[in-house]
Structures are given as C-alpha cells and as structure tokens.
C-alpha cells in the first residue's frame, strides 16, 4: 500500500541524516524511480523532503521536521500491532492504549488518508474463538499480560489434574488459540532452563515480582508455539485405526479429525480399490475419541480395525437400521395452526 510506504519513507528519513535513492529503494523494496515519485508526493503534501545532488547527495528532511508518530508511548506502540484483535486487547487490559495509538496515527496521516483505519476495519475482522462455545476471559490474564510486557518474573499457582503446583516463571509471550489463552514461559529445571506452555484458565494465583529477567534474543514465539502444538498433537495420538474411506470420506477426513492425524493418514501411498475407496492407517487418541470423530463421516468410512472400534460402529449401524426401518412410527405432521 502506498500510504504505508510513504509513512515508512518519512520515518526512515527522520531516523537518518541523509539516505540515497538506492538505500531508500532497498529499504522500501521499490525502484529508485518510485522513490523519486514518492518524495515528490510527500513534498506536495507539505512534508519538507529535499534532494541533494552529487556523489554525496541523497534525500533528507529539512528544518528538523518530525512526524507526530514518534509521540506514541511504548505501551501504545506495542498495542498498535494488535489493533486488529480488539477482543484480545480488551481481555489483556490494553484497549485504552490501542485506542490512543490509533488516534495519534490518524492525526499524523495526510488528510486524504485519515479514513484508512475505518476503511480497514470495514474490510478485515478477526473472530478468534471457536464455533459453538462461549469465550471466557481468564481472570488472571491482565496480570500476566502486564508481566509479559514488562519482562517481570512471576510466581504462579497452577492446577495440574487434582493437584496445584507453584512455579517461578519468566513469562515470554501470550497465545490466543481458538478462544483459549496460553502463556509461554521459561522455567528453571535444576541447572537448566526450558520453555513450557500453560493454559491461563488453570492458573489459580499469580504474583508479579519486582525483579526483571533478560529475554533470550533468539526466542521465536510463533515458531515455539508451532513446535509445541505439533508435539502436543502427536503426543496424544497413542493408538491407530485402520479405516476404509470413500473419495468423499477422504475429502472430509481433515475436517473431522486432528490435522496432524489426517495428514499422516493420507500421506501414505494408498491405492484406491475398484470402488475408488482407499484404506489408511489413522493415528487416534483412543477408541472413544475415534468413535466420536469418525461418526461424522457416516457411510463415507468403514472401520476395519481395531475390532472393538469396528464393533462400536456395527452397533451404531444396527440401532440406526432399527430406528429408521420402523414401520409403526407415525410420520410427522405439519402444524395446522
């Protein structure tokens, strides 16, 4: 978007005494000709961009020009990057900071661009919670969010099964997954430190300490979360089911079971039989979970093994045949009223 590029160009020139067209082109990922056109557009809009000629020349801002974007407070700038997730901001206690940041950015934009925030809001909305569940905000989320922003250690009590344990945590980051909040934290285990992931709704108490911790600059929150999610998904798939799938069943499988399980089941070189069906080995959590998940496939799947799971579906089929094969059931009638 050109508006974002123009703002970035102003900030680049504001942060350095002078920049050549080649340097700006590299930073903005455009051609030098585009840099020239953008500089002209900024000049016409009242931003004092000046071009020096010669070998030591380049673009610079004249007269100590400063954009008001630098008036953002730290918390406002951090919240701005989350401004597309209003529910998450509200739950972390950052709604006011994000609102102030948006107002400051709007005030700094050119008049012709000041409707950009409203325009974007009408074109993009993130609805994080999953379907068919009422999202709940963990009571301790704001306290943990503040500790994450300030890099402060916390002592926390955490429910693990029927027990409660206390941990000294270095809170690195928050993740909102399908309406559920998680904390990624570094924990000391003997002489080593490791990263753990906690469901925030299972914390019963959090005490923020005065002492700060030093972050590992190599820690990558998105990468850590992806690795943990994959590892967790694989860890619970402790059993297997052999399933025969119709072409429609193959297409439906990824919507009915865990994506990791579906991917592993369909990655093998299964050849369709004469009817076009394929037989796959599906990793499953348990017979009970597999029964609940594969029921959604209906007649598009046939469970071949294990015997106990096949017997469950055979029982389902017998009951359904008895239910739908009844001839004494009165057909439903329309309401005459």
């Amino acid at each position: 978007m050109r508006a974002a590029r123009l703002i970035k160009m102003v900030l680049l020139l504001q942060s350095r005494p002078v920049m050549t067209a080649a340097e700006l082109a590299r930073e903005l990922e455009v051609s030098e000709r585009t840099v020239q056109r953008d500089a002209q557009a900024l000049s016409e809009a009242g931003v004092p961009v000046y071009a020096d000629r010669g070998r030591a020349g380049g673009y610079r801002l004249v007269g100590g020009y400063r954009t008001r974007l630098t008036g953002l407070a730290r918390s406002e700038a951090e919240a701005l990057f989350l401004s597309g997730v209003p529910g998450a901001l509200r739950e972390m206690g950052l709604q006011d900071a994000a609102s102030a940041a948006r107002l400051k950015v709007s005030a700094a934009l050119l008049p012709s661009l000041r409707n950009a925030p409203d325009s974007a809001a009408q074109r993009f909305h993130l609805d994080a919670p999953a379907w068919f569940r009422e999202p709940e905000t963990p009571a301790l989320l704001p306290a943990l969010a503040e500790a994450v922003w300030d890099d402060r250690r916390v002592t926390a009590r955490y429910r693990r099964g029927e027990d409660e344990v206390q941990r000294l945590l270095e809170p690195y980051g928050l993740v909102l997954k399908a309406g559920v909040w998680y904390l990624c934290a570094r924990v000391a285990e003997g002489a080593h430190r490791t990263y753990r992931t906690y469901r925030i709704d299972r914390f019963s108490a959090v005490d923020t300490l005065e002492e700060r911790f030093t972050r590992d600059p190599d820690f990558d929150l998105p990468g850590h979360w992806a690795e943990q999610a994959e590892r967790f998904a694989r860890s619970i798939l402790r059993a297997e089911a052999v399933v025969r799938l119709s072409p429609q069943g193959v297409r439906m499988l990824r919507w009915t079971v865990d994506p990791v399980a579906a991917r592993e089941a369909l990655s093998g070189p299964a050849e369709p039989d004469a009817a076009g069906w394929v037989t796959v080995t599906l990793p499953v959590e348990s017979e009970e979970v597999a029964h609940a998940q594969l029921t959604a496939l209906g007649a598009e799947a046939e469970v071949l093994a294990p015997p106990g799971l096949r017997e469950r579906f055979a029982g389902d089929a017998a009951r359904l045949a008895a239910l739908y094969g009844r001839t004494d059931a009165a057909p439903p009638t329309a309401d005459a009223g």
Side-chain angles (χ1 to χ4, degrees):
M1 297 288 293
R2 192 185 189 200
R5 191 175 71 243
L6 292 174
I7 293 174
K8 185 176 180 180
M9 184 174 179
V10 173
L11 293 175
L12 285 170
L13 293 174
Q14 186 172 293
S15 64
R16 306 179 196 179
V18 64
M19 293 186 70
T20 66
E23 290 172 335
L24 284 168
R26 185 168 55 253
E27 291 281 354
L28 300 172
E29 298 181 346
V30 295
S31 67
E32 292 187 29
R33 179 59 181 162
T34 298
V35 168
Q36 295 173 7
R37 288 197 294 266
D38 286 352
Q40 181 65 28
L42 287 171
S43 180
E44 292 174 355
V47 178
V49 178
Y50 181 77
D52 288 319
R53 306 292 181 181
R55 180 182 298 180
Y59 292 92
R60 60 186 176 88
L61 294 175
V62 181
Y65 178 85
R66 305 290 293 180
T67 174
R68 283 174 288 177
L69 283 172
T70 52
L72 291 173
R74 184 176 69 89
S75 62
E76 295 168 349
E78 291 166 339
L80 182 60
F81 289 101
L82 298 170
S83 59
V85 196
L89 283 168
R90 182 172 56 252
E91 292 175 8
M92 288 190 292
L94 295 172
Q95 187 176 23
D96 291 342
S99 177
R102 285 192 295 270
L103 287 174
K104 289 182 177 181
V105 171
S106 296
L109 291 175
L110 300 175
S112 61
L113 303 176
R114 286 180 183 165
N115 67 337
D118 292 335
S119 177
Q122 294 301 319
R123 288 165 173 79
F124 175 77
H125 173 68
L126 175 62
D127 186 7
W131 287 103
F132 313 121
R133 66 184 301 273
E134 193 69 27
E136 296 182 1
T137 303
L140 296 172
L141 175 60
L144 286 169
E146 186 174 353
V148 167
W149 292 124
D150 290 343
D151 295 337
R152 292 187 183 275
R153 290 187 173 91
V154 300
T155 55
R157 295 194 63 82
Y158 183 79
R159 293 187 297 274
R160 189 171 63 185
E162 299 297 322
D163 303 321
E164 272 195 352
V165 296
Q166 182 165 308
R167 293 283 185 268
L168 175 63
L169 304 177
E170 295 177 347
Y172 262 62
L174 299 169
V175 175
L176 177 60
K177 168 70 172 179
V180 179
W181 283 96
Y182 295 86
L183 173 71
C184 296
R186 189 166 62 179
V187 186
E189 292 187 347
H192 301 89
R193 291 184 178 181
T194 185
Y195 296 99
R196 294 290 182 88
T197 303
Y198 301 87
R199 274 187 63 143
I200 293 180
D201 57 9
R202 292 180 183 168
F203 282 100
S204 59
V206 171
D207 182 21
T208 303
L209 306 179
E210 289 297 322
E211 60 181 303
R212 286 186 165 88
F213 63 92
T214 301
R215 284 178 168 267
D216 179 354
D218 295 328
F219 178 78
D220 173 32
L221 179 60
H224 169 79
W225 174 258
E227 180 182 340
Q228 291 295 308
E230 181 89 2
R231 184 180 302 170
F232 173 75
R234 291 181 181 278
S235 71
I236 64 175
L237 300 174
R238 302 185 182 94
E240 291 182 342
V242 180
V243 186
R244 184 168 171 261
L245 298 169
S246 72
Q248 178 66 7
V250 170
R251 289 190 290 270
M252 294 172 59
L253 186 66
R254 61 176 177 165
W255 306 113
T256 57
V257 303
D258 184 272
V260 172
R263 187 165 59 248
E264 290 193 8
L266 299 176
S267 64
E271 291 293 332
D273 60 20
W277 290 48
V278 296
T279 299
V280 302
T281 300
L282 177 71
V284 297
E285 182 176 348
S286 65
E287 284 193 13
E288 291 77 10
V289 173
H291 177 247
Q293 293 176 332
L294 294 175
T295 295
L297 295 179
E300 305 301 328
E302 177 189 4
V303 173
L304 304 179
L309 183 57
R310 182 176 174 87
E311 289 173 6
R312 288 174 184 262
F313 280 98
D316 291 347
R319 287 191 295 274
L320 286 170
L323 180 64
Y324 287 99
R326 290 174 54 186
T327 59
D328 59 337
T333 57
D335 187 353

